[in-house]
Amino acid sequence: MKHYVLVHGGCHGAWCWYKVKPMLEHSGHRVTVFDLTAHGVNMSRVEDIQTLEDFAKPLLEVLESFGSDDKVVLVAHSLGGIPAALAADMFPSKISVAVFVTSFMPDTANPPSYVFEKFLGSITEEERMDFELGSYGTDDHPLKTAFLGPNYLKNMYLLSPIEDYELAKMLMRVTPAITSNLTGTKSLTAQGYGSISRVYIVCGEDKGIRVDFQRWMIENSPVKEVMEIKDADHMPMFSKPHELCDRLLKIADKYP
């Protein structure tokens, strides 16, 4: 039996794993899902998030609760890759493999915010649509929020069932934009995050994080293995749940 810990992306919540969780459990595995700070049904507000550690706190508490001999398959989607990388840096001995599913994936040379800020700089006004950036914090410590409007969201859910897109529209929450003011300027460590096995799952029809940007992140921070789900949009847990589970089961077998 393997133990999967599933990390959702920005503006979403644990609810987005509702198809994948029972599939993995049906295969005999343990699955833990949770809401990141100020997401899903977590009662915090985005203004409570002053650092990346604040954002990742529920994940850090989950990993901290496990015994010293427990190892998990850490699966991160989209923006969840950055708090997951921080957790891997803090608890490398508790992670058998980290899986980045069309996810922002930091390196060990730049601040964790580097990949997200590069992404923001890479998308055109036309591509941005109603991907909205806001601000909070103080003059001394300015921070940004991000919110996925219905048009940008529709692009992310292009091949997913319409019911899942409608559900997402009802449950969206504002997320912190992962800027260097949130993460600080230190990189994650080679001894922590850099020491764990990582696998990247490319989603071939992703209009949220384009395939060329996914592949740039892999080049920027090489992984043990790259897999692909060719006909998946940005939300493979909705558009290709069986294929995603198949990849996750194979990864867990290969990286004990």
Side-chain angles (χ1 to χ4, degrees):
M1 184 182 77
K2 308 290 184 184
H3 186 176
Y4 292 86
V5 174
L6 308 181
V7 186
H8 65 79
C11 302
H12 288 68
W15 58 267
C16 74
W17 299 110
Y18 82 92
K19 292 182 181 179
V20 169
K21 182 176 183 283
M23 287 183 192
L24 292 173
E25 288 171 338
H26 185 70
S27 296
H29 303 295
R30 184 178 167 197
V31 181
T32 297
V33 299
F34 60 92
D35 293 312
L36 289 165
T37 305
H39 284 65
V41 295
N42 181 284
M43 297 303 289
S44 301
R45 301 173 308 139
V46 72
E47 291 81 10
D48 298 327
I49 301 171
Q50 296 293 314
T51 65
L52 179 57
E53 202 164 325
D54 289 341
F55 185 34
K57 187 180 177 188
L59 170 58
L60 301 178
E61 288 173 346
V62 164
L63 292 177
E64 201 167 18
S65 72
F66 299 150
S68 56
D69 295 332
D70 293 339
K71 279 187 174 281
V72 304
V73 179
L74 183 63
V75 180
H77 175 247
S78 194
L79 194 68
I82 300 177
L86 174 70
D89 197 48
M90 295 175 70
F91 298 102
S93 64
K94 294 189 176 184
I95 292 158
S96 59
V97 59
V99 186
F100 292 83
V101 182
T102 187
S103 176
F104 291 104
M105 183 173 66
D107 55 42
T108 55
N110 299 287
S113 59
Y114 173 64
V115 286
F116 183 73
E117 291 179 319
K118 193 167 181 71
F119 168 76
L120 287 182
S122 76
I123 56 176
T124 65
E125 280 302 315
E126 190 180 351
E127 288 172 320
R128 194 185 296 265
M129 293 187 286
D130 51 359
F131 179 108
E132 298 165 9
L133 291 172
S135 58
Y136 71 109
T138 64
D139 290 343
D140 294 336
H141 190 224
L143 298 168
K144 288 189 180 298
T145 60
F147 186 74
L148 305 171
N151 296 320
Y152 193 87
L153 195 66
K154 191 162 194 177
N155 245 14
M156 289 169 57
Y157 280 70
L158 218 50
L159 303 174
S160 295
I162 188 70
E163 295 88 349
D164 293 321
Y165 167 64
E166 290 296 334
L167 179 67
K169 281 198 296 183
M170 295 172 196
L171 297 176
M172 285 291 100
R173 289 185 68 180
V174 171
T175 199
I178 310 246
T179 62
S180 57
N181 278 357
L182 188 78
T183 66
T185 54
K186 280 187 180 173
S187 63
L188 301 174
T189 66
Q191 299 83 0
Y193 171 65
S195 71
I196 64 162
S197 297
R198 288 178 292 131
V199 176
Y200 200 98
I201 299 180
V202 172
C203 290
E205 295 295 332
D206 191 340
K207 307 298 183 201
I209 301 177
R210 296 186 315 269
V211 172
D212 62 333
F213 195 84
Q214 294 176 58
R215 295 206 177 274
W216 172 82
M217 287 189 285
I218 294 163
E219 282 176 32
N220 178 59
S221 185
V223 295
K224 293 270 189 194
E225 189 172 351
V226 179
M227 295 180 167
E228 184 167 359
I229 306 175
K230 288 192 185 301
D231 298 324
D233 58 19
H234 186 66
M235 307 301 296
M237 63 282 284
F238 297 137
S239 60
K240 291 289 175 183
H242 292 280
E243 290 83 350
L244 177 58
C245 281
D246 176 65
R247 305 302 191 279
L248 295 179
L249 292 169
K250 285 176 178 167
I251 290 166
D253 280 342
K254 193 168 181 180
Y255 301 91

